[in-house]
Amino acid sequence: MKKLHIIGNWKMSLNRKDSLSLAKNICSINFNDHLNLEVAPTSLYISEIINILKDSNVNVISQNFDFESLGSFTGGICLDQMKELGVNKTILGHSERRSKFNESDEQINNKLKTILNSDFDVVYCFDSPEQIPFELIKNNLNDNSDLKLTIAYEPTWAIGTGKTASIEHIEEIHTKVKSNLKEIMLENIPILYGGSVNPTNSNEILNTNNVDGVLVGGASTKFDQLTGIVNSI
Ligand code: 13P
C-alpha cells in the first residue's frame, strides 16, 4: 500500500480559540502508518499547536517563510526561527501567496532554492505545470529523501470555490508532472492535489493514478470533515 499524505492548510481561517480546540480534537484521530497527516496553522499559534500535538503522530508545518536567517525584515519569518520551535517543513508558493501577496515566480524559486539547500522539507504548490522549475529542483535537491520535496497541484479556480477538478483532469496533470520528475530521476516525489477536497470526493481523488495525497483548506479546519477525509482512505 502506498503512503498517502493529508495536509491541512488552515490559512488565516481560525482564531486562537478555534485553532487550539481543533488541535486538541485532532489528537484523537486514529490513523495507521500508511498515512502522513500534517497541519499548517497560522504562525502566530504554531508553538501552542506543536505543544498540543507533541504526543500525536500529526506533524505541524508552516504555511510560508520569507528568509533563511534572522535580519531586518519587518513582518517576516525565517527558517532559523521556525527551527527553534521544532518546525522542519513549510508550504511554499501557495496561489494565495502568489495572487494576494504578489510573490513572483522568481521570489518563490529563490525561496525554493534556499529551502532545498537547507535541512527543511517543503511542499511546493503550483497552478500550472509550466511553473515548476524542474531544472532548479534537479540542481538543488541533493538530499533525495522521499519527503524533502512534495509537490502540490492546486488549480486556482478550485481553491475555496467548491468546484473540484475532474478526476480525469487531476490524473492528466499529475501524470504529466510525474513523467517530468521521472526525466530528472525524481519520480518518488509525492504529488498532492488541492482544491475543494472534502469527505465526499476525497476517496476518489486519493485513489487516482499518480495522486499521493491531498492539500486541504476549508475542510481541514472543521474536525468532522477532516476526520471524514482521513477515514475515506
Ligand atoms: P480549499 O480546500 O478550501 O479549496 O483550499 C485548498 C487550498 O488552498 C489548500 O492549500
Side-chain angles (χ1 to χ4, degrees):
M1 197 177 173
K2 75 172 176 183
K3 186 136 189 157
L4 289 174
H5 308 270
I6 297 177
I7 303 180
N9 175 9
W10 296 356
K11 307 189 180 184
M12 210 176 70
S13 304
L14 298 172
N15 62 22
R16 179 173 172 272
K17 180 169 160 284
D18 291 341
S19 299
L20 303 193
S21 152
L22 178 59
K24 281 177 195 149
N25 283 330
I26 286 175
C27 289
S28 68
I29 301 184
N30 280 318
F31 58 94
N32 64 30
D33 287 350
H34 297 298
L35 173 65
N36 172 42
L37 179 61
E38 302 186 308
V39 292
T42 174
S43 47
L44 279 175
Y45 315 137
I46 206 162
S47 275
E48 290 173 281
I49 306 286
I50 289 172
N51 195 37
I52 292 169
L53 289 169
K54 67 179 185 302
D55 295 324
S56 77
N57 292 326
V58 183
N59 191 32
V60 181
I61 72 172
S62 176
Q63 296 179 10
N64 182 44
F65 79 102
D66 297 295
F67 293 94
E68 182 167 19
S69 310
L70 302 174
S72 301
F73 299 105
T74 303
I77 52 170
C78 72
L79 296 180
D80 286 347
Q81 291 171 318
M82 288 189 226
K83 210 185 298 181
E84 286 180 284
L85 305 178
V87 178
N88 59 11
K89 183 169 181 175
T90 180
I91 299 172
L92 172 66
H94 191 280
S95 75
E96 286 153 11
R97 297 297 313 179
R98 295 176 192 265
S99 64
K100 297 180 181 170
F101 293 84
N102 294 323
E103 286 191 21
S104 65
D105 286 352
E106 190 187 351
Q107 280 172 309
I108 291 164
N109 290 351
N110 283 337
K111 291 202 223 178
L112 183 61
K113 189 169 172 187
T114 297
I115 206 156
L116 290 178
N117 286 288
S118 75
D119 49 10
F120 265 68
D121 297 341
V122 60
V123 182
Y124 170 88
C125 303
F126 72 98
D127 170 61
S128 83
E130 292 71 42
Q131 265 167 344
I132 307 174
F134 290 104
E135 196 62 22
L136 182 153
I137 290 171
K138 182 177 149 211
N139 293 335
N140 290 278
L141 186 59
N142 305 316
D143 173 3
N144 189 5
S145 66
D146 273 3
L147 290 179
K148 171 79 187 170
L149 171 65
T150 299
I151 291 184
Y153 173 47
E154 295 211 310
T156 311
W157 53 266
I159 295 177
T161 58
K163 292 183 198 145
T164 319
S166 69
I167 295 298
E168 294 73 25
H169 175 77
I170 297 172
E171 183 167 352
E172 184 191 329
I173 300 289
H174 281 232
T175 303
K176 182 173 165 37
V177 173
K178 186 66 92 181
S179 93
N180 290 333
L181 287 169
K182 217 170 186 167
E183 282 167 23
I184 54 170
M185 318 281 274
L186 293 172
E187 68 265 32
N188 290 333
I189 288 176
I191 309 173
L192 317 189
Y193 167 79
S196 298
V197 175
N198 60 48
T200 312
N201 60 28
S202 53
N203 176 274
E204 201 181 5
I205 293 172
L206 287 165
N207 279 302
T208 302
N209 252 340
N210 293 323
V211 171
D212 300 295
V214 285
L215 180 53
V216 189
S220 77
T221 63
K222 297 172 193 90
F223 179 63
D224 56 335
Q225 294 202 28
L226 180 61
T227 317
I229 294 170
V230 170
N231 291 338
S232 76
I233 293 176

PDB file of all heavy atoms in Angstrom, residues 149-183:
ATOM      1  N   LEU A 149      11.004  17.033  -0.665  1.00  0.00           N
ATOM      2  CA  LEU A 149      10.167  17.862  -1.527  1.00  0.00           C
ATOM      3  C   LEU A 149       8.859  17.134  -1.823  1.00  0.00           C
ATOM      4  O   LEU A 149       8.859  15.953  -2.178  1.00  0.00           O
ATOM      5  CB  LEU A 149      10.902  18.141  -2.849  1.00  0.00           C
ATOM      6  CG  LEU A 149      10.078  18.826  -3.953  1.00  0.00           C
ATOM      7  CD1 LEU A 149       9.663  20.240  -3.536  1.00  0.00           C
ATOM      8  CD2 LEU A 149      10.896  18.913  -5.245  1.00  0.00           C
ATOM      9  N   THR A 150       7.771  17.854  -1.622  1.00  0.00           N
ATOM     10  CA  THR A 150       6.452  17.389  -2.034  1.00  0.00           C
ATOM     11  C   THR A 150       5.924  18.456  -2.986  1.00  0.00           C
ATOM     12  O   THR A 150       6.186  19.652  -2.780  1.00  0.00           O
ATOM     13  CB  THR A 150       5.517  17.275  -0.811  1.00  0.00           C
ATOM     14  OG1 THR A 150       6.069  16.335   0.098  1.00  0.00           O
ATOM     15  CG2 THR A 150       4.116  16.838  -1.204  1.00  0.00           C
ATOM     16  N   ILE A 151       5.220  18.025  -4.018  1.00  0.00           N
ATOM     17  CA  ILE A 151       4.683  18.994  -4.972  1.00  0.00           C
ATOM     18  C   ILE A 151       3.157  18.934  -4.866  1.00  0.00           C
ATOM     19  O   ILE A 151       2.589  17.851  -4.712  1.00  0.00           O
ATOM     20  CB  ILE A 151       5.185  18.647  -6.396  1.00  0.00           C
ATOM     21  CG1 ILE A 151       6.688  18.915  -6.479  1.00  0.00           C
ATOM     22  CG2 ILE A 151       4.442  19.444  -7.443  1.00  0.00           C
ATOM     23  CD1 ILE A 151       7.293  18.718  -7.851  1.00  0.00           C
ATOM     24  N   ALA A 152       2.513  20.091  -4.909  1.00  0.00           N
ATOM     25  CA  ALA A 152       1.048  20.100  -4.793  1.00  0.00           C
ATOM     26  C   ALA A 152       0.417  20.858  -5.945  1.00  0.00           C
ATOM     27  O   ALA A 152       0.707  22.045  -6.168  1.00  0.00           O
ATOM     28  CB  ALA A 152       0.627  20.716  -3.458  1.00  0.00           C
ATOM     29  N   TYR A 153      -0.461  20.164  -6.670  1.00  0.00           N
ATOM     30  CA  TYR A 153      -1.209  20.810  -7.761  1.00  0.00           C
ATOM     31  C   TYR A 153      -2.470  21.441  -7.194  1.00  0.00           C
ATOM     32  O   TYR A 153      -3.358  20.735  -6.694  1.00  0.00           O
ATOM     33  CB  TYR A 153      -1.585  19.775  -8.833  1.00  0.00           C
ATOM     34  CG  TYR A 153      -2.500  20.344  -9.894  1.00  0.00           C
ATOM     35  CD1 TYR A 153      -2.214  21.572 -10.483  1.00  0.00           C
ATOM     36  CD2 TYR A 153      -3.638  19.659 -10.311  1.00  0.00           C
ATOM     37  CE1 TYR A 153      -3.056  22.116 -11.457  1.00  0.00           C
ATOM     38  CE2 TYR A 153      -4.480  20.193 -11.287  1.00  0.00           C
ATOM     39  CZ  TYR A 153      -4.179  21.426 -11.845  1.00  0.00           C
ATOM     40  OH  TYR A 153      -5.008  21.963 -12.806  1.00  0.00           O
ATOM     41  N   GLU A 154      -2.533  22.763  -7.262  1.00  0.00           N
ATOM     42  CA  GLU A 154      -3.717  23.472  -6.770  1.00  0.00           C
ATOM     43  C   GLU A 154      -4.227  24.426  -7.845  1.00  0.00           C
ATOM     44  O   GLU A 154      -3.746  25.559  -7.948  1.00  0.00           O
ATOM     45  CB  GLU A 154      -3.370  24.257  -5.505  1.00  0.00           C
ATOM     46  CG  GLU A 154      -2.977  23.377  -4.341  1.00  0.00           C
ATOM     47  CD  GLU A 154      -3.361  24.016  -3.013  1.00  0.00           C
ATOM     48  OE1 GLU A 154      -3.045  25.193  -2.789  1.00  0.00           O
ATOM     49  OE2 GLU A 154      -4.019  23.335  -2.227  1.00  0.00           O
ATOM     50  N   PRO A 155      -5.188  23.983  -8.666  1.00  0.00           N
ATOM     51  CA  PRO A 155      -5.739  24.905  -9.656  1.00  0.00           C
ATOM     52  C   PRO A 155      -6.468  26.049  -8.946  1.00  0.00           C
ATOM     53  O   PRO A 155      -7.350  25.804  -8.118  1.00  0.00           O
ATOM     54  CB  PRO A 155      -6.718  24.044 -10.461  1.00  0.00           C
ATOM     55  CG  PRO A 155      -6.900  22.774  -9.706  1.00  0.00           C
ATOM     56  CD  PRO A 155      -5.843  22.667  -8.669  1.00  0.00           C
ATOM     57  N   THR A 156      -6.083  27.261  -9.259  1.00  0.00           N
ATOM     58  CA  THR A 156      -6.609  28.431  -8.540  1.00  0.00           C
ATOM     59  C   THR A 156      -8.133  28.448  -8.511  1.00  0.00           C
ATOM     60  O   THR A 156      -8.740  28.750  -7.483  1.00  0.00           O
ATOM     61  CB  THR A 156      -6.096  29.724  -9.218  1.00  0.00           C
ATOM     62  OG1 THR A 156      -4.690  29.596  -9.385  1.00  0.00           O
ATOM     63  CG2 THR A 156      -6.393  30.944  -8.391  1.00  0.00           C
ATOM     64  N   TRP A 157      -8.747  28.084  -9.639  1.00  0.00           N
ATOM     65  CA  TRP A 157     -10.204  28.155  -9.738  1.00  0.00           C
ATOM     66  C   TRP A 157     -10.911  27.131  -8.841  1.00  0.00           C
ATOM     67  O   TRP A 157     -12.111  27.220  -8.624  1.00  0.00           O
ATOM     68  CB  TRP A 157     -10.655  27.974 -11.192  1.00  0.00           C
ATOM     69  CG  TRP A 157     -10.110  26.743 -11.851  1.00  0.00           C
ATOM     70  CD1 TRP A 157      -8.977  26.677 -12.612  1.00  0.00           C
ATOM     71  CD2 TRP A 157     -10.638  25.417 -11.792  1.00  0.00           C
ATOM     72  NE1 TRP A 157      -8.768  25.382 -13.025  1.00  0.00           N
ATOM     73  CE2 TRP A 157      -9.776  24.593 -12.543  1.00  0.00           C
ATOM     74  CE3 TRP A 157     -11.753  24.840 -11.178  1.00  0.00           C
ATOM     75  CZ2 TRP A 157      -9.983  23.228 -12.693  1.00  0.00           C
ATOM     76  CZ3 TRP A 157     -11.969  23.478 -11.330  1.00  0.00           C
ATOM     77  CH2 TRP A 157     -11.096  22.681 -12.081  1.00  0.00           C
ATOM     78  N   ALA A 158     -10.156  26.167  -8.319  1.00  0.00           N
ATOM     79  CA  ALA A 158     -10.783  25.150  -7.462  1.00  0.00           C
ATOM     80  C   ALA A 158     -10.582  25.438  -5.974  1.00  0.00           C
ATOM     81  O   ALA A 158     -11.135  24.748  -5.119  1.00  0.00           O
ATOM     82  CB  ALA A 158     -10.202  23.773  -7.798  1.00  0.00           C
ATOM     83  N   ILE A 159      -9.816  26.481  -5.679  1.00  0.00           N
ATOM     84  CA  ILE A 159      -9.491  26.761  -4.277  1.00  0.00           C
ATOM     85  C   ILE A 159     -10.607  27.554  -3.608  1.00  0.00           C
ATOM     86  O   ILE A 159     -10.931  28.668  -4.027  1.00  0.00           O
ATOM     87  CB  ILE A 159      -8.151  27.520  -4.159  1.00  0.00           C
ATOM     88  CG1 ILE A 159      -7.016  26.624  -4.657  1.00  0.00           C
ATOM     89  CG2 ILE A 159      -7.895  27.970  -2.738  1.00  0.00           C
ATOM     90  CD1 ILE A 159      -5.659  27.278  -4.648  1.00  0.00           C
ATOM     91  N   GLY A 160     -11.212  26.926  -2.605  1.00  0.00           N
ATOM     92  CA  GLY A 160     -12.247  27.596  -1.819  1.00  0.00           C
ATOM     93  C   GLY A 160     -13.532  27.869  -2.583  1.00  0.00           C
ATOM     94  O   GLY A 160     -14.366  28.655  -2.143  1.00  0.00           O
ATOM     95  N   THR A 161     -13.703  27.252  -3.731  1.00  0.00           N
ATOM     96  CA  THR A 161     -14.877  27.544  -4.572  1.00  0.00           C
ATOM     97  C   THR A 161     -15.924  26.441  -4.525  1.00  0.00           C
ATOM     98  O   THR A 161     -17.029  26.621  -5.016  1.00  0.00           O
ATOM     99  CB  THR A 161     -14.447  27.696  -6.048  1.00  0.00           C
ATOM    100  OG1 THR A 161     -13.795  26.486  -6.456  1.00  0.00           O
ATOM    101  CG2 THR A 161     -13.512  28.863  -6.240  1.00  0.00           C
ATOM    102  N   GLY A 162     -15.549  25.276  -3.980  1.00  0.00           N
ATOM    103  CA  GLY A 162     -16.473  24.140  -4.015  1.00  0.00           C
ATOM    104  C   GLY A 162     -16.439  23.437  -5.371  1.00  0.00           C
ATOM    105  O   GLY A 162     -17.131  22.451  -5.587  1.00  0.00           O
ATOM    106  N   LYS A 163     -15.625  23.965  -6.306  1.00  0.00           N
ATOM    107  CA  LYS A 163     -15.515  23.333  -7.643  1.00  0.00           C
ATOM    108  C   LYS A 163     -14.249  22.494  -7.678  1.00  0.00           C
ATOM    109  O   LYS A 163     -13.134  23.038  -7.736  1.00  0.00           O
ATOM    110  CB  LYS A 163     -15.411  24.411  -8.731  1.00  0.00           C
ATOM    111  CG  LYS A 163     -16.648  25.224  -8.920  1.00  0.00           C
ATOM    112  CD  LYS A 163     -16.420  26.200 -10.085  1.00  0.00           C
ATOM    113  CE  LYS A 163     -17.449  27.304 -10.026  1.00  0.00           C
ATOM    114  NZ  LYS A 163     -16.929  28.594 -10.464  1.00  0.00           N
ATOM    115  N   THR A 164     -14.418  21.182  -7.611  1.00  0.00           N
ATOM    116  CA  THR A 164     -13.242  20.305  -7.653  1.00  0.00           C
ATOM    117  C   THR A 164     -12.898  19.996  -9.097  1.00  0.00           C
ATOM    118  O   THR A 164     -13.800  19.862  -9.935  1.00  0.00           O
ATOM    119  CB  THR A 164     -13.556  18.962  -6.965  1.00  0.00           C
ATOM    120  OG1 THR A 164     -14.319  19.243  -5.800  1.00  0.00           O
ATOM    121  CG2 THR A 164     -12.295  18.226  -6.571  1.00  0.00           C
ATOM    122  N   ALA A 165     -11.622  19.866  -9.380  1.00  0.00           N
ATOM    123  CA  ALA A 165     -11.224  19.447 -10.732  1.00  0.00           C
ATOM    124  C   ALA A 165     -11.733  18.026 -10.969  1.00  0.00           C
ATOM    125  O   ALA A 165     -11.858  17.239 -10.021  1.00  0.00           O
ATOM    126  CB  ALA A 165      -9.703  19.495 -10.843  1.00  0.00           C
ATOM    127  N   SER A 166     -12.005  17.698 -12.233  1.00  0.00           N
ATOM    128  CA  SER A 166     -12.476  16.336 -12.521  1.00  0.00           C
ATOM    129  C   SER A 166     -11.328  15.348 -12.306  1.00  0.00           C
ATOM    130  O   SER A 166     -10.144  15.724 -12.382  1.00  0.00           O
ATOM    131  CB  SER A 166     -12.954  16.243 -13.969  1.00  0.00           C
ATOM    132  OG  SER A 166     -11.847  16.345 -14.841  1.00  0.00           O
ATOM    133  N   ILE A 167     -11.676  14.108 -12.055  1.00  0.00           N
ATOM    134  CA  ILE A 167     -10.665  13.069 -11.836  1.00  0.00           C
ATOM    135  C   ILE A 167      -9.754  12.957 -13.063  1.00  0.00           C
ATOM    136  O   ILE A 167      -8.532  12.840 -12.935  1.00  0.00           O
ATOM    137  CB  ILE A 167     -11.352  11.715 -11.537  1.00  0.00           C
ATOM    138  CG1 ILE A 167     -12.113  11.803 -10.214  1.00  0.00           C
ATOM    139  CG2 ILE A 167     -10.349  10.571 -11.515  1.00  0.00           C
ATOM    140  CD1 ILE A 167     -11.250  12.078  -8.985  1.00  0.00           C
ATOM    141  N   GLU A 168     -10.341  13.051 -14.255  1.00  0.00           N
ATOM    142  CA  GLU A 168      -9.551  12.953 -15.494  1.00  0.00           C
ATOM    143  C   GLU A 168      -8.523  14.084 -15.558  1.00  0.00           C
ATOM    144  O   GLU A 168      -7.376  13.875 -15.929  1.00  0.00           O
ATOM    145  CB  GLU A 168     -10.460  13.037 -16.741  1.00  0.00           C
ATOM    146  CG  GLU A 168     -11.416  11.873 -16.908  1.00  0.00           C
ATOM    147  CD  GLU A 168     -12.574  11.890 -15.902  1.00  0.00           C
ATOM    148  OE1 GLU A 168     -12.937  12.980 -15.394  1.00  0.00           O
ATOM    149  OE2 GLU A 168     -13.109  10.810 -15.596  1.00  0.00           O
ATOM    150  N   HIS A 169      -8.964  15.285 -15.192  1.00  0.00           N
ATOM    151  CA  HIS A 169      -8.055  16.439 -15.240  1.00  0.00           C
ATOM    152  C   HIS A 169      -6.924  16.274 -14.212  1.00  0.00           C
ATOM    153  O   HIS A 169      -5.750  16.498 -14.533  1.00  0.00           O
ATOM    154  CB  HIS A 169      -8.849  17.723 -14.960  1.00  0.00           C
ATOM    155  CG  HIS A 169      -7.982  18.935 -14.872  1.00  0.00           C
ATOM    156  ND1 HIS A 169      -7.462  19.567 -15.979  1.00  0.00           N
ATOM    157  CD2 HIS A 169      -7.489  19.608 -13.799  1.00  0.00           C
ATOM    158  CE1 HIS A 169      -6.710  20.587 -15.597  1.00  0.00           C
ATOM    159  NE2 HIS A 169      -6.709  20.632 -14.281  1.00  0.00           N
ATOM    160  N   ILE A 170      -7.288  15.856 -13.012  1.00  0.00           N
ATOM    161  CA  ILE A 170      -6.263  15.675 -11.972  1.00  0.00           C
ATOM    162  C   ILE A 170      -5.250  14.634 -12.440  1.00  0.00           C
ATOM    163  O   ILE A 170      -4.034  14.843 -12.366  1.00  0.00           O
ATOM    164  CB  ILE A 170      -6.911  15.234 -10.628  1.00  0.00           C
ATOM    165  CG1 ILE A 170      -7.844  16.335 -10.099  1.00  0.00           C
ATOM    166  CG2 ILE A 170      -5.847  14.888  -9.596  1.00  0.00           C
ATOM    167  CD1 ILE A 170      -8.672  15.939  -8.884  1.00  0.00           C
ATOM    168  N   GLU A 171      -5.761  13.524 -12.966  1.00  0.00           N
ATOM    169  CA  GLU A 171      -4.865  12.445 -13.400  1.00  0.00           C
ATOM    170  C   GLU A 171      -3.935  12.924 -14.535  1.00  0.00           C
ATOM    171  O   GLU A 171      -2.744  12.623 -14.548  1.00  0.00           O
ATOM    172  CB  GLU A 171      -5.679  11.227 -13.852  1.00  0.00           C
ATOM    173  CG  GLU A 171      -4.789  10.073 -14.239  1.00  0.00           C
ATOM    174  CD  GLU A 171      -5.536   8.762 -14.402  1.00  0.00           C
ATOM    175  OE1 GLU A 171      -6.733   8.690 -14.071  1.00  0.00           O
ATOM    176  OE2 GLU A 171      -4.899   7.813 -14.871  1.00  0.00           O
ATOM    177  N   GLU A 172      -4.507  13.691 -15.451  1.00  0.00           N
ATOM    178  CA  GLU A 172      -3.703  14.165 -16.585  1.00  0.00           C
ATOM    179  C   GLU A 172      -2.540  15.051 -16.109  1.00  0.00           C
ATOM    180  O   GLU A 172      -1.384  14.851 -16.496  1.00  0.00           O
ATOM    181  CB  GLU A 172      -4.615  14.953 -17.537  1.00  0.00           C
ATOM    182  CG  GLU A 172      -3.932  15.421 -18.793  1.00  0.00           C
ATOM    183  CD  GLU A 172      -4.798  16.421 -19.563  1.00  0.00           C
ATOM    184  OE1 GLU A 172      -6.050  16.332 -19.499  1.00  0.00           O
ATOM    185  OE2 GLU A 172      -4.204  17.286 -20.222  1.00  0.00           O
ATOM    186  N   ILE A 173      -2.851  16.008 -15.234  1.00  0.00           N
ATOM    187  CA  ILE A 173      -1.796  16.920 -14.761  1.00  0.00           C
ATOM    188  C   ILE A 173      -0.766  16.162 -13.918  1.00  0.00           C
ATOM    189  O   ILE A 173       0.451  16.309 -14.097  1.00  0.00           O
ATOM    190  CB  ILE A 173      -2.413  18.086 -13.925  1.00  0.00           C
ATOM    191  CG1 ILE A 173      -3.399  18.898 -14.762  1.00  0.00           C
ATOM    192  CG2 ILE A 173      -1.319  18.953 -13.314  1.00  0.00           C
ATOM    193  CD1 ILE A 173      -2.783  19.761 -15.844  1.00  0.00           C
ATOM    194  N   HIS A 174      -1.241  15.321 -13.015  1.00  0.00           N
ATOM    195  CA  HIS A 174      -0.310  14.599 -12.136  1.00  0.00           C
ATOM    196  C   HIS A 174       0.594  13.659 -12.944  1.00  0.00           C
ATOM    197  O   HIS A 174       1.778  13.518 -12.650  1.00  0.00           O
ATOM    198  CB  HIS A 174      -1.096  13.813 -11.077  1.00  0.00           C
ATOM    199  CG  HIS A 174      -1.567  14.673  -9.949  1.00  0.00           C
ATOM    200  ND1 HIS A 174      -1.346  14.386  -8.618  1.00  0.00           N
ATOM    201  CD2 HIS A 174      -2.251  15.841  -9.963  1.00  0.00           C
ATOM    202  CE1 HIS A 174      -1.876  15.333  -7.870  1.00  0.00           C
ATOM    203  NE2 HIS A 174      -2.438  16.224  -8.647  1.00  0.00           N
ATOM    204  N   THR A 175       0.025  13.042 -13.967  1.00  0.00           N
ATOM    205  CA  THR A 175       0.819  12.113 -14.774  1.00  0.00           C
ATOM    206  C   THR A 175       1.879  12.869 -15.566  1.00  0.00           C
ATOM    207  O   THR A 175       3.022  12.429 -15.699  1.00  0.00           O
ATOM    208  CB  THR A 175      -0.118  11.310 -15.711  1.00  0.00           C
ATOM    209  OG1 THR A 175      -1.083  10.659 -14.882  1.00  0.00           O
ATOM    210  CG2 THR A 175       0.638  10.267 -16.507  1.00  0.00           C
ATOM    211  N   LYS A 176       1.510  14.040 -16.042  1.00  0.00           N
ATOM    212  CA  LYS A 176       2.481  14.877 -16.767  1.00  0.00           C
ATOM    213  C   LYS A 176       3.643  15.279 -15.839  1.00  0.00           C
ATOM    214  O   LYS A 176       4.816  15.157 -16.197  1.00  0.00           O
ATOM    215  CB  LYS A 176       1.756  16.131 -17.288  1.00  0.00           C
ATOM    216  CG  LYS A 176       2.600  17.079 -18.095  1.00  0.00           C
ATOM    217  CD  LYS A 176       1.671  18.154 -18.662  1.00  0.00           C
ATOM    218  CE  LYS A 176       2.352  19.380 -19.207  1.00  0.00           C
ATOM    219  NZ  LYS A 176       3.573  19.261 -19.900  1.00  0.00           N
ATOM    220  N   VAL A 177       3.282  15.733 -14.639  1.00  0.00           N
ATOM    221  CA  VAL A 177       4.329  16.156 -13.698  1.00  0.00           C
ATOM    222  C   VAL A 177       5.189  14.955 -13.285  1.00  0.00           C
ATOM    223  O   VAL A 177       6.419  15.046 -13.192  1.00  0.00           O
ATOM    224  CB  VAL A 177       3.706  16.855 -12.464  1.00  0.00           C
ATOM    225  CG1 VAL A 177       4.754  17.134 -11.401  1.00  0.00           C
ATOM    226  CG2 VAL A 177       3.012  18.142 -12.886  1.00  0.00           C
ATOM    227  N   LYS A 178       4.538  13.826 -13.050  1.00  0.00           N
ATOM    228  CA  LYS A 178       5.278  12.618 -12.670  1.00  0.00           C
ATOM    229  C   LYS A 178       6.287  12.250 -13.755  1.00  0.00           C
ATOM    230  O   LYS A 178       7.426  11.890 -13.463  1.00  0.00           O
ATOM    231  CB  LYS A 178       4.274  11.479 -12.428  1.00  0.00           C
ATOM    232  CG  LYS A 178       4.838  10.198 -11.900  1.00  0.00           C
ATOM    233  CD  LYS A 178       5.405  10.311 -10.491  1.00  0.00           C
ATOM    234  CE  LYS A 178       4.405   9.972  -9.420  1.00  0.00           C
ATOM    235  NZ  LYS A 178       4.912  10.094  -8.063  1.00  0.00           N
ATOM    236  N   SER A 179       5.869  12.372 -15.030  1.00  0.00           N
ATOM    237  CA  SER A 179       6.794  11.988 -16.089  1.00  0.00           C
ATOM    238  C   SER A 179       7.943  13.006 -16.194  1.00  0.00           C
ATOM    239  O   SER A 179       9.076  12.650 -16.456  1.00  0.00           O
ATOM    240  CB  SER A 179       6.059  11.738 -17.401  1.00  0.00           C
ATOM    241  OG  SER A 179       6.027  12.885 -18.161  1.00  0.00           O
ATOM    242  N   ASN A 180       7.654  14.279 -15.935  1.00  0.00           N
ATOM    243  CA  ASN A 180       8.741  15.268 -15.888  1.00  0.00           C
ATOM    244  C   ASN A 180       9.715  14.965 -14.749  1.00  0.00           C
ATOM    245  O   ASN A 180      10.922  15.133 -14.886  1.00  0.00           O
ATOM    246  CB  ASN A 180       8.179  16.682 -15.690  1.00  0.00           C
ATOM    247  CG  ASN A 180       7.445  17.186 -16.913  1.00  0.00           C
ATOM    248  OD1 ASN A 180       7.717  16.778 -18.027  1.00  0.00           O
ATOM    249  ND2 ASN A 180       6.473  18.051 -16.705  1.00  0.00           N
ATOM    250  N   LEU A 181       9.163  14.519 -13.625  1.00  0.00           N
ATOM    251  CA  LEU A 181      10.023  14.184 -12.481  1.00  0.00           C
ATOM    252  C   LEU A 181      10.866  12.944 -12.792  1.00  0.00           C
ATOM    253  O   LEU A 181      12.015  12.840 -12.373  1.00  0.00           O
ATOM    254  CB  LEU A 181       9.171  13.934 -11.228  1.00  0.00           C
ATOM    255  CG  LEU A 181       8.542  15.179 -10.593  1.00  0.00           C
ATOM    256  CD1 LEU A 181       7.528  14.794  -9.534  1.00  0.00           C
ATOM    257  CD2 LEU A 181       9.629  16.075  -9.974  1.00  0.00           C
ATOM    258  N   LYS A 182      10.273  12.040 -13.542  1.00  0.00           N
ATOM    259  CA  LYS A 182      10.985  10.818 -13.927  1.00  0.00           C
ATOM    260  C   LYS A 182      12.216  11.154 -14.766  1.00  0.00           C
ATOM    261  O   LYS A 182      13.283  10.575 -14.600  1.00  0.00           O
ATOM    262  CB  LYS A 182      10.045   9.917 -14.733  1.00  0.00           C
ATOM    263  CG  LYS A 182      10.222   8.454 -14.460  1.00  0.00           C
ATOM    264  CD  LYS A 182       9.089   7.692 -15.103  1.00  0.00           C
ATOM    265  CE  LYS A 182       9.191   6.227 -14.709  1.00  0.00           C
ATOM    266  NZ  LYS A 182       7.971   5.510 -15.035  1.00  0.00           N
ATOM    267  N   GLU A 183      12.032  12.133 -15.644  1.00  0.00           N
ATOM    268  CA  GLU A 183      13.150  12.541 -16.507  1.00  0.00           C
ATOM    269  C   GLU A 183      14.345  13.030 -15.701  1.00  0.00           C
ATOM    270  O   GLU A 183      15.475  12.957 -16.153  1.00  0.00           O
ATOM    271  CB  GLU A 183      12.709  13.669 -17.459  1.00  0.00           C
ATOM    272  CG  GLU A 183      11.904  13.166 -18.633  1.00  0.00           C
ATOM    273  CD  GLU A 183      11.211  14.307 -19.381  1.00  0.00           C
ATOM    274  OE1 GLU A 183      11.664  15.473 -19.298  1.00  0.00           O
ATOM    275  OE2 GLU A 183      10.196  14.011 -20.042  1.00  0.00           O
TER     276      GLU A 183
END
